[in-house]
Every structure is written in structure tokens, then in C-alpha cells.
Amino acid sequence: MSENKILNIGILKNGTIGSSLLLAFLMDERAESTRINVREVTSGAKMHPPEECIETMKKLLEFEPELILMSSPNAALKGPMAAREMAKEANIPTIVISDAPAKKAVDEIKEKNMGYILVNCDSMIGARRPFLDPIEMSCFNSDLLKVLAISGSLQVIAQELNKVIMDMLEGKKPILPQIIIDASRAVQAAKFTNPYAEAKAIAAFELASSVSKVTSRACFVLKEREEYMPLLAAAHEMMRTAALMCDQAREIEKSNDTVIRRPHHAKQHLLTKTKLHEKEA
Amino acid sequence: MSENKILNIGILKNGTIGSSLLLAFLMDERAESTRINVREVTSGAKMHPPEECIETMKKLLEFEPELILMSSPNAALKGPMAAREMAKEANIPTIVISDAPAKKAVDEIKEKNMGYILVNCDSMIGARRPFLDPIEMSCFNSDLLKVLAISGSLQVIAQELNKVIMDMLEGKKPILPQIIIDASRAVQAAKFTNPYAEAKAIAAFELASSVSKVTSRACFVLKEREEYMPLLAAAHEMMRTAALMCDQAREIEKSNDTVIRRPHHAKQHLLTKTKLHEKEA
Amino acid sequence: MSENKILNIGILKNGTIGSSLLLAFLMDERAESTRINVREVTSGAKMHPPEECIETMKKLLEFEPELILMSSPNAALKGPMAAREMAKEANIPTIVISDAPAKKAVDEIKEKNMGYILVNCDSMIGARRPFLDPIEMSCFNSDLLKVLAISGSLQVIAQELNKVIMDMLEGKKPILPQIIIDASRAVQAAKFTNPYAEAKAIAAFELASSVSKVTSRACFVLKEREEYMPLLAAAHEMMRTAALMCDQAREIEKSNDTVIRRPHHAKQHLLTKTKLHEKEA
Amino acid sequence: MSENKILNIGILKNGTIGSSLLLAFLMDERAESTRINVREVTSGAKMHPPEECIETMKKLLEFEPELILMSSPNAALKGPMAAREMAKEANIPTIVISDAPAKKAVDEIKEKNMGYILVNCDSMIGARRPFLDPIEMSCFNSDLLKVLAISGSLQVIAQELNKVIMDMLEGKKPILPQIIIDASRAVQAAKFTNPYAEAKAIAAFELASSVSKVTSRACFVLKEREEYMPLLAAAHEMMRTAALMCDQAREIEKSNDTVIRRPHHAKQHLLTKTKLHEKEA
Amino acid sequence: MSENKILNIGILKNGTIGSSLLLAFLMDERAESTRINVREVTSGAKMHPPEECIETMKKLLEFEPELILMSSPNAALKGPMAAREMAKEANIPTIVISDAPAKKAVDEIKEKNMGYILVNCDSMIGARRPFLDPIEMSCFNSDLLKVLAISGSLQVIAQELNKVIMDMLEGKKPILPQIIIDASRAVQAAKFTNPYAEAKAIAAFELASSVSKVTSRACFVLKEREEYMPLLAAAHEMMRTAALMCDQAREIEKSNDTVIRRPHHAKQHLLTKTKLHEKEA
Amino acid sequence: MSENKILNIGILKNGTIGSSLLLAFLMDERAESTRINVREVTSGAKMHPPEECIETMKKLLEFEPELILMSSPNAALKGPMAAREMAKEANIPTIVISDAPAKKAVDEIKEKNMGYILVNCDSMIGARRPFLDPIEMSCFNSDLLKVLAISGSLQVIAQELNKVIMDMLEGKKPILPQIIIDASRAVQAAKFTNPYAEAKAIAAFELASSVSKVTSRACFVLKEREEYMPLLAAAHEMMRTAALMCDQAREIEKSNDTVIRRPHHAKQHLLTKTKLHEKEA
């Protein structure tokens, strides 16, 4: 297969998780790629009823993608499962990107020979009406995005997707990733030079991961506003603090001029550099 | 028109700006809306060549949306313009959401009787290969999202879109917004109680707005890596600082228990509350 | 029983937890009490073998205490259990103060009609030789103490002990506390006025509580230095961050002049006040 | 004397100072020592009347310690002096650990051939009823402990005690330390690598040392609540700030991976290491 | 005397202290005053030999001032003393503004019927060549200025000078201030609403005041670079921290919208206001 | 010309800018210079009417300076221009130090063969009566001074003035500087070792520079208090944030022990050093 091969990538999003916010941009962060073509269809905030997922997958398939990335919270639910069936039938390599509750679907995903990347710290938001308005929702996502980026979680996703893409561009059959990102996996990808920066990132990852325990109790178990409101507020404080810890970790690396950067070449392979003033290679 | 009216909303995204990251969720932050149905088609990172925009708009129109939201950086470019032509021909009410360079397209948008919301502080990222990798890109977007949320910019978008949606749900002909969001407009929507929190938000808005001046010089004017790298790094420090200032502004409101929250009712109208423990109404 | 009754209180400490660092001072913070007499015997850092606990309890009993407070990490271990037997035989009202692993001993403690206060966030230190020296140990305890104090945990202990003491001073048979302090119980005692300060304290409590999960894995499961060191460093970062969050919570209350203070009267009852310049009553 | 020698160490505490909070743990921070045996008797918050000190010393002597550590605020007062007489008569090597006011007792201590370690920055708490409750007391001690640990003060104590212990384990007659810890002595022991981290620690030490000047005026000179309350609050702000400065000093060393660690070997000698991932030796 | 009276004020500066940096502007902060006319002569950095002071005073007297403000470090030195003689002979009301070492000159100043304002926290800079360059000097002055402003010290100066000026404008014989500004006097003028903000300001004042003790030892006592450098660096850390504490104090007042403002009217009297959006009166 | 040559320098200040606050001390920061003699005359806050400038220049000329430094805001106004005429006629080498609006006078200054240093980030204060009192004025100047010092702006001034002074001391005809200090020029002089510290300084410089845009609108365009007050408060928040960013930049250099120091030798030439404990040379 020649250097002129261009890969058509289809992204399906139903509902949102932090890891999918900028998914297309993890593959082409400066819109310079000459070898991938991305189309994305989403159903906005909704993943219920399953038709939300089915209809959008149907439309996505019309784009005739060669590789499908599917993202949603809790990929074990009926909607995403139905969409996976469709991708399976279409016989298109598919990678599921989801959060910790999706672990329940791992066996089924494996049976379908699909890939998956599940991110432990991509915790559920505090979705109760007296608490969550568009602004609180955006603040939480901002904090979550910071945690995902600096802890190394998004680096894992970027690297794993790029391996698959490079394989396909080279005409190889891709080995789809089957990964659960925990703190250890994340910080390995983040490649901190300073061990205390790494420690802060691990701490932040753990803190962010434990947010779901609090939000799920507040959203699904507690019924009285006076009971769940303190937990919701606490959960978002936890994510905010995790973001600040990650920021500190990166500031340490900046203070040592050891921030690793791995930009995509226009031909899609990843380059790397460390000192700010050095050239990527 | 009855209470059972459900509005089909189509979102087109070509490239990304901070204001569009969570656009669907600004209309339905908890995925509880019973009266809107959202479909979104995007071309990922690309908005050039214009076919990127045209193809995705074509697909979006197949969903038969009753209201179209179009988002891209610099909506004055050819791609978005071509997509607007298609929406115009389809005779569907359309709102353009874009950044400051889109001001050049305002006359044309007005002529098409379309709405627009242009956000001054939604500045361009530092898109040079030796600087911008997926992680730096995500960090910038996290900071930008924080600024947009807390400064009031996203509140303006949420409110303006909701006015249009409510009008259409009630069977009225909507008045499409034609707004440029500057600092003053943003903080009016943010409704700070404390005047120094507001001052910090204004300062952050101005700081974030001036990022574009630095990034555009670094990306388009300067040619040597040693010349543009310091500016790129400085530009992202500016956005990071703007995010921290916004965070401080919100912390002040939290310290006074005066954070205003305006969640959507499942029937789509906006509720409001201020004290954390009070009920939204 | 007259106002002249003085209560002899005996404290046994084997090993240390944050909650016991200043235990005597939670009952008499300014050394002004005229109605309690405290004697404390400790075995320093050791609680193994059980003789450490037995010998020190033997000596403590020679002081003829009327009320015994026993403190150690993991009170379910043999040493503390042996010491409880001795207190039981001596027929002296006894309250066990310990951490989360002590929950395994709750049934046994109840059978002995003893009281207990177990503090969920009083997490285990990162006790590995390449990590923990006297300074790291002191820093961790400083952070832990801050979390315990501001989250309300020490307030629960101070109040529960004082109830028992007041009952005994008044000649009543005391009802010994049987309490597990979780985040909710702690912040109720802390009586934050600002709900976001409370949220930060809850978040800090949860973060501090989850430290044990990390340290126990690092101390008991992982064997290789390169594996456990990052976790130990992360665990102490978590406690440090929890302390900073608590500090912020108290700063908010200070900014509103709503820090509640409940000092002991010299006659042992608790007074209360809120504004800094008002008189305690 | 063989390697099997185990040293019996007796600790007497009357009242509290920051330097004594974790005294036993400065000799055995992970409870792994095989060669020391620690017993501690305390009178809780009280050091007046002298009987508090006498009774506890009497009980401590029953443990037959070979080395005695005595700790209290202002060791020049009658109670500690009486206890020293008892230790002198028992002819047991004794080290007094106290604060700056204890300097008045230095001549007497020297005459008794005892050792002493007086810590200038171990300042008096703001002990007035309208200000000091159990929580404020704990917060102050947390801050003080952080200052003592990071400034190097506790490192001096740990090292000096260990020299004496090692001498005694080896059957040598110990040379008891006679030291007043000022900023210079403290930071020499702290062994900062970065000179600005050291400067912050010196500054924090001086700030913490000057707290006593403010608290003693507020506690002993001023009579009106409106006069002493601002000073008490200011004094605790000073200690809080000193703690934060120390924390920053340690963060700098962490950012350079130059935190020195000197853990005890189980056989009691001190090991040393600097980089987090290197082995102690 | 009519409303048209304009007062000629002469300022002499020899060397610099923080309190004199903006002295003219403490009387006319917006350059709007219609009733004072200011002329200032300085000898730059020098106050030795006395001719520096004498020559500049001579020139100042040529402006025929009706009120003289003299400022220098340590006004007890020969140069300032000589300048005072000249002002005395000229029989012009004179106010000396200086730092703590100037207390030695208080009797002499009183004998001359002059006023004085000595500011305890206006501490000496760390003036050693290996440490102090133009940038370190400017940073120190920036921090010092922040402390002086927020602690209330400059407010005392502004108010006292204005009383004298108003008296003279009204044709009265002015009562010249004879004041030593300590923490208590400063914060009374600062008029904090929140008592913890006030406590932080007191703490900062004390910290800033103690800088001189460290710098004078480093500049005048210690001779070896390795000995005085750590103290100089520590001293400037102390002033930097004092500035940050003051900043926090003001941030608290801002968070409560209680920052008092007392601008001058163009006719020189002081107005006052508190809420940001209210009108000064 | 011999080593004994002493240069008489005259400084004229009318009104104030940040760059002139410590102008004399930028040439002699420790008052140790043996080869310059400085006299300064100022008109305090006023630069209107032109007589303010004329009268003070007249007096300054009486000191017979060999080099004149003139400083004021907006040197293009009539007063400074009139003073320049006088210096021109006196035929004395003159350097104008001013802010960005002075660029309008550059041609005229050049025609007079004078030097100039215009500092872009030396922005106008928020001079409205309901906002600016002596304390707010001092806080702003403190922040501005920090920005000027750390960004490198004052380093440029110190170096350029010293070049001229050294030339004149050596009997050479000086080449007067004609410089506009922008961010790039400033940070070149600041000589940051860490590129992210430099980036923060650039960002701070840009932020400080944009303050003028906000204050000039608030002071000269808007008429209603409710309109200009938020902008004034925002402008001062901008300068405060710029100061904090600069402080962080310097903290990074401190954490790496790479703070460059360039003190003056007593004979006026500049020395240099980097590590805190090394000797200047």
C-alpha cells in the first residue's frame, strides 16, 4: 500500500465522557494530517433509548469508515451494545472508548474482536438538577480534561490509536488495543522525569477515579436533596483538586524543562521532543 | 403546538473552538430533556478543503433538523461559508457559533437571515508542530473551557439557544441571536454577586481574548522556531492564567454561597437558584 | 457527687494514629481543667509483640484510672486485644480510639461493653524504609492532623469524650460512644457555615480515607522498590493535598468570620462561640 | 557489649511542645527497631503543680530506663526541675527537650551533667479561652510540626538522640547533647540542596520563633479580650504561614529530586539517600 | 484664609525607605489636587556624607515651602540631622518620615518642635553586593510597598499628613504628628472588616518588622559571604511572604466587598466609601 | 579622563510611572557608588500645567548636571516637551524615560538628539476618584514595579543607563539609547535560564501592557460610574495577576538556582553572577 493511502475514520459518540471530548484531535491536533479523514456522528447528550445509538451508527456507516471509534459513558448499556452489533455486522475494526462501568462489557467486546480503552479516572459527573447546570457541567469537564491530559490517560489513547492507524496505513491488519487505564498505565505514558511530579499525577488519578463512587451514591442511592447535595459539591471539589494537582505536576516538569511533547507528523507518525527549544524528531 | 412537540436540532462542527466543545450539553446538561432531539455531524479537526464542511452538512441535512447550529473557527472561511449556503437553501433556521475572526462574515450571515454568536475570548491555539501535541492541545482546551464557562460566555450561548428553542417549541418564529460576546456581555450573563469576582472574570476574559494576537503572530508571521516558540509558550501561559483567575472568581462566589445555577428543566425551560441548599425554581 | 469530684483518666497508647497525637489535649486544650487528672502510658512506636501493650496497660492500671482511653492503629490486633482484656477484668469503663482496620474488632469491643471511636480518614502511613524517615513521618502526621482537626473528626472525639466525662463527673453511669466516623459524621461536628467549605472538607476526608488503600498495597502487596515507591510518594501527596483542602475550607470560614470554637471551661463543660470577637458562652 | 544489647529508653512528657509530639517516632519511625525499647509516661496537658511531674517521673523510673528523655514547655519551671532531681538521684543519663524559655535552666541542667536540646522555633500556643479550642489547638500543632520537621529542627533531635543511643548500644559512655537549635543549626541538619529552599526555611524558622513574642504578650500582658484576640489570631497566622513556607521549601527540593531521607536501620543506625528511586545506604 | 489658599509643600528625600516611595502621591493620588503644590528634591541613593542632605535641603528651601516633609532611612544619622537644623532655622513646620532606627532621634526632633512618623515595618534592605542588584532591590521595594499599603501604614501617613495640610489650608496652626507606627496603629487605620484579614495584616507587619534584625546582622555583623548570604536571601523571603499575606488580607476584604477607600477630594479633604459600586462621600 | 571623574546626574520627574519609581537606585542600588552624584527634582503628582515641568527643570539645571534623565507619563504632553526644550538649550545629554503614549514624541526627541526608553508595559493606573485612593494607588505601583523588575524592563534601563554613564566616565561621547521596550526586548535582558519562566514573563508583560487599553477607556471614554468601575477593578486585577506571574517566573529560576544578579561595582561597572553562593565578577 502506498504512501498515498488515506484512512477513513468514523467516530460515534453517544453521551459524553472526558476522554472523548477531543477524540478527533488526539489523532490530528493541528489539523495537518494528510493521511486520515475523520467523520463523526453524535446523538448529543443522549444514549437512551438505544435508538439514539442505532440511528447515529447507521448514519456513520454511510460514511463508509475503515476504522470505527465508539465512545459513550458505560458502554455496557443497551444503546452502545446495539451500536456495536451494527459495527460487527459491517465487519469494520472498532475500538470502544469508555469509562470504568464499561468493564462489565469487556467479555462481550472481546468476543466481537473489538478493541477497548477504558479509563478509570473518567468519572461520572454529578448529574442532579439542583446542582448541575451548563456552567457546573463545563467546569467539571474542564477539570476532568486536565486530569486526563496530564496524568497520561490521553497519551495512552493517542498512542494506541496511532499504532492502529499506522498499521492500517501500512496495509497491516491492526491489533486492536484492549486496555484498562489505571494510574500506573497512565503515568507510564506520561513519562514524567521528576518522580514527585509523577507521584502527584498518580495521586490525582486516584482522586479523580474515586469521584464516581461519590457521584453514583449521590445520583442513584440518596433521594433527599439535603443528603445528596453535599456529596455532589464534594465530588466536583475532588475533580477540581485533581486538576490542580495535575497542573502542579506539569509545572514541576516545566520548571525543569522536561515536558515531553509527542506531536503528530503530517504523515501521521508521532514525533518526540523534550526541551522546549529543541526540535521534534 | 402542543407540549408534545419535540424539536430536531442539528449541529455541524468543522474544526473546533472552545465554545463548541460541549455545545449539545449546553442545551441538555444532564441528558434529561424530553423535548429536543440532537444530531451532530463533524469533520473532526479539518475545515479545509471546503468539501469537509460540505459533506458533513449534507449528511446533517439528512437528519432533517428544524434548527441548525454551525460551529467552526473563523466562520468567514470558504468551508463554513459553503455550508451556510446549503443551510440557506434548505431554508432551516441557522445559528453560527464562532470566534473573533468570524466578524468578517457578519454581513453575509445577516444577509442570510442567520443568527450568530461570536466569542471574543475563544482564542486560537498555538498550532505549531514543535509546540502543540495532543497533551498541550488538551491542556489549552481545558483552560479555555474554564474561561468560557466562568466568564459567562457559555451562559450567553446557553440562554440564547434556549430562547430560540423555547420559541420554536411554542410554535413561534424564533428571533435568531446576533451577538458578539465581549467581556461586558459575558459577565452580565454570569451574574456575579461580588464585584471583585466580576472584575477578575473581566480581566480573565480580556487576557484570554489577547491570546489570539500572540498565537496568530507566532503561527502566521514568525518563521524561525527560536522566535515563535517563546510566544507560543507565553500564549498558553496566558490562557492558563486566565483559567486560574476565573477559578478564583468562582471560589469567591462559592465562599459567599452565591453561585448562580440555571439548570434546564426536562421540558427545556431554564430554572434558577443561588444558595447551594435551596431548590431550583 | 459534688462539684469537687475529679476524674482520673488513663490513656494507653501503643503505636500512633493521628487521632491520638493530642488526645489528652482534646480534653484540656489550655491545661486549665480543674476536674480531670490525666495519666498516659505508651510503648512508643511498638504494639508488637503483645507484651508491649500488656506491660504498658499494667503500669497504667497502677494509676487507678476511672476511665480508660486506649489508642493504637488497628485495634483488632493481638496486643490491643490483650490490653482490652485487662481493662475488662479491671472493670473500668474503656473507650477504644482507632482507625478503619479496627472495624474487625467492633463485635468483640461491643461484647466487652466498651466504647469505640474509629476514624475512617486516619489512614496508614507509607512505612517503607526507602521512603519513611523521621522527617517524612512528621510531615505526614502534620498533614493528617490538619485533616482530622478541620474535617470535624477531632471535634467528634472531643465532644464524645466530654459527654462521658461530664456524666462521670455528675456521678452518672456513662453511655460509652460506639461510633465510626465517616465524612458525614465528621462534617456534622465541624459545623461549617459555608456549604462549599463543607464540600471541601468532605472531599478531603474521602481523599485522606483512600490513602490507606494505596499505602497498604505499597507496604504489604508490592515487593519491588521501583513498584512501591511511586505509590508511597503518591499516598503522601494525597494526604498533603487533603490537608491543603481542609486549610482552604477553614480559610473560607475565616473569610466569613464563622469559625466555630468550642473551648472547655475549667470545670470541663464545653463553651461555644462563632465570631472571633464575641465571648464564648 | 554484643549486638544483642537492647536499650531501655524512658520518656517523660509534662505538657506538650511540638518537638515532643512524635518523640518516640523520631527514634523508630517505622516501628522496626530491634534494639530500643521505649516506655513513655505523661501527665497529659498539666505540668503544674509539680506533683504532676513528680508522680509521672516516679512511674517512669519503675520501668528502669537506661536513658531518660524529658520533655515539657519551659523546663525552667518547678515541676520539670523536680523531675530532673529525681532523674539525677537515680543516676540515669537524661536529656531535656524543651523550648526557648528553658534557657533559664541551662546552668542548672549542665550542673546536673544532663543533656538538653532547646528549640527556638517551638513557640508557645495562643492559650486563651475565647481563642483556643481543641481544633485551633490541633491546627497550631499541625503547623508547628511542619515547621519543626522541614526546617531541620527534628532532624537535629533525631540525629543527636541517635548518637547517644548508638554510643550506649556500643557500650560507650554517651556524650549528652547540649544544644540550642537556632535557624542556622536547624538548616544545617536539613541539608537543603537549593539555597532558596534553605532561605525559605530560615525565614520560616525566624517567623515561627517570633510567634512566642506575640502569644506571651497576648496571654500574660494584655487583659482585655478586644486587645489580645487580634494578637492571638495573628500569632496563629504566623505559624500557619511558617508552615506554608516550609512546605514550599520542601516542594522545591522535591522538584529537583533532592529530598534527603535518613531512615533508621532496624539496628538503629541512620541510613541516607537523596533521589527518590535510589536505595538508602 | 480663603478657599483659594494653595499650600506649598517641600519634600526632601535622602536615600530611600518604602514609606517615601510614593510620598507625594499619598497626598494627591490622582494628580487632581487644586490646593497643594509639591516640590521634591532628592540626593538619590546617598545620604552620606551630610553634604548630600545639606545641599538638597538648601535647594528645597529655595522653593519656599510652607511645610516640609523629610524622608530618609535612619533619621538619627548626621545628614538628616543637619538638614533638620536648616529647616529649623528656616522656621518651617517639618515632619520627619523614617524607619525604626530613627527612634534614637525622637528627643531631638521633639525639641525642634518637629513632627515625625516612624514606621516599624519599613525594614532595611539586604544591601550586600553579592546579593543586591537593581532587580533584587526593586523586588524588595515592591514587596515592602505592598506591606506598607495594606497593613495600614501608608494610610496612617496619608491621614496624618492630610490633617496637617487641612489645618494649614484653613489657616490654623497645625499640630504635627509624633507617631511611631506599630502593628496595632497600622491596622486601626487600615480598618479591616474581617478580623482574620486583620490578623493576617498584623502577622505580616510583625514579619516585615523583623526583617531588619536579619538584614542588619547580615550587613553589619557577619563578614563571610557564606555566612551572610543565607540570611540575606531569608530576609527577602520574609518580606515577600509578608507581602503575600497582606495580599491575602486584601483578597478577603475584596471577597466581602468591604475594601475601604479614602480618596482625596480635589479640594484636599478625604472622602470615604466601602462597597465598590457605591459613591465616595 | 582619570578614574577620579565623578559624573553629575540630574533626574527630573513630573508625575510618576513605574519605571521611574526607583530610577536613582537602578544606577546605585546599594548607595555605594563613588563615581556618580545624583540630584533629583520633582513636581510630585503634577505635570500640568507645563509650569510644573518648567520650574522643576529650571531648578534641576541649577545643579549643573552633565547628564539628565527625564521621566513622566506620556512624554508627548506639553509640560515634558517644554522641559526638553530647556535641556536642549542647555546642551546637556538627556534621556527621556516614559511609557507607551510617549511614542508620539519619538520624532521630536530624535530631532533633539536625545535618548529615550519607552516601556510598553508601564501602563496607566485606574485614576478615577471612586476607585483610586492612596492605598489602591500604592498596590498598583507595587504590582507594576514587580512586573517591571522581573520581566527585564528595569534591567534594560539599568544596563542602558550604565552604558551611557560608563562612556561619560571614560570621557567618551555617549551614544544615547533610543529604545522601545517590548516583551521580547525585556526578557532578553532578564536572561531567564528556564524557557517556561521566560514564557510566564512574556505573558505577564503582555498582560501588563494591555492594562492601559482598559484604564484609558475607563478614565477617558466611559462617563458613568457603573460603567467604568468594573473596568477599573478589572485593570488592577490584571496588573496584580501580571505581578504574580512574574513572581512565579522568578520562583522557577530560584528553584533552579539560576537567578542572574548584576550588581554595580562601586566604580560603577556592572558585575554578574548566577548561583546564589558564587561570587560576583
Side-chain angles (χ1 to χ4, degrees), chain C residues 33 39-40 42 46 129 131 133 136 142-143 146 237 240 247 250 254 261-262 280, chain D residues 33 39-40 42 46 52 129 131 133 136 142-143 146 237 240 247 250 254 261-262 280:
Chain C
S33 169
R39 291 294 177 267
E40 179 175 318
T42 96
K46 298 279 180 54
R129 202 173 72 188
F131 183 67
D133 75 339
E136 186 72 43
S142 164
D143 289 331
K146 193 65 81 85
E237 291 293 333
R240 175 176 171 268
D247 184 72
R250 194 165 174 91
K254 283 158 72 177
R261 295 175 192 273
R262 280 171 288 192
E280 71 281 10
Chain D
S33 169
R39 292 293 177 266
E40 178 176 319
T42 95
K46 296 278 181 53
E52 295 282 339
R129 202 172 74 188
F131 183 66
D133 76 341
E136 186 73 43
S142 164
D143 289 332
K146 193 66 81 84
E237 290 294 333
R240 175 177 171 269
D247 184 73
R250 194 167 175 89
K254 284 158 72 177
R261 294 174 193 274
R262 281 172 287 194
E280 70 281 12

Side-chain angles (χ1 to χ4, degrees), chain E residues 9 11 13 18-33 36 38-40 69 97 145 154-155 157-159 161-162 165 262-265 268 270, chain F residues 13-18 20-22 40 42-48 52 71-73 125 127 132-141:
Chain E
I9 300 175
I11 299 177
K13 289 190 201 170
S19 303
S20 74
L21 264 183
L22 290 159
L23 194 49
F25 298 83
L26 296 181
M27 299 181 289
D28 185 15
E29 67 274 8
R30 293 179 316 286
E32 292 177 358
S33 170
I36 65 172
V38 174
R39 290 294 177 265
E40 178 177 318
L69 311 179
I97 295 170
L145 186 54
L154 296 188
Q155 196 58 263
I157 297 176
Q159 290 177 328
L161 296 185
N162 221 55
I165 293 168
R262 281 171 287 193
H264 287 88
H265 190 279
Q268 201 61 29
L270 286 166
Chain F
K13 289 189 201 169
N14 303 107
T16 188
I17 58 172
S20 75
L21 261 185
L22 290 159
E40 180 176 318
T42 95
S43 56
K46 296 278 181 53
M47 56 190 295
H48 313 286
E52 297 281 339
S71 172
S72 71
I125 203 168
L132 199 76
D133 75 342
I135 302 314
E136 187 72 43
M137 181 275 301
S138 301
C139 287
F140 180 85
N141 274 287

Side-chain angles (χ1 to χ4, degrees), chain A residues 30 162 260-266 268-273 279-281, chain B residues 129 133:
Chain A
R30 294 179 315 286
N162 220 56
I260 196 165
R261 294 174 193 274
R262 281 171 288 194
H264 287 88
H265 190 278
Q268 201 61 30
H269 53 284
L270 286 165
L271 304 168
T272 188
K273 61 172 286 189
K279 191 168 160 48
E280 69 282 12
Chain B
R129 201 173 74 187
D133 75 341

Side-chain angles (χ1 to χ4, degrees), chain C residues 60-78:
Chain C
L60 185 69
L61 291 173
E62 294 173 13
F63 280 123
E64 301 188 351
E66 295 160 278
L67 172 66
I68 292 178
L69 311 180
M70 286 179 58
S71 171
S72 72
N74 192 351
L77 294 176
K78 282 187 187 170

Side-chain angles (χ1 to χ4, degrees), chain E residues 66-77:
Chain E
E66 296 160 279
L67 172 67
I68 292 178
L69 311 179
M70 287 179 58
S71 171
S72 72
N74 192 352
L77 293 177

Side-chain angles (χ1 to χ4, degrees), chain D residues 239-259:
Chain D
M239 192 56 84
R240 175 177 171 269
T241 297
L244 290 171
M245 292 182 86
C246 281
D247 184 73
Q248 287 165 25
R250 194 167 175 89
E251 287 297 300
I252 289 176
E253 295 290 327
K254 284 158 72 177
S255 79
N256 291 320
D257 196 13
T258 53
V259 176

Side-chain angles (χ1 to χ4, degrees), chain F residues 118-121 153 179-187 205-206:
Chain F
L118 309 186
V119 188
N120 279 352
C121 70
S153 305
I179 294 174
I180 291 170
I181 302 181
D182 60 8
S184 168
R185 179 89 192 214
V187 298
F205 191 103
E206 295 293 354

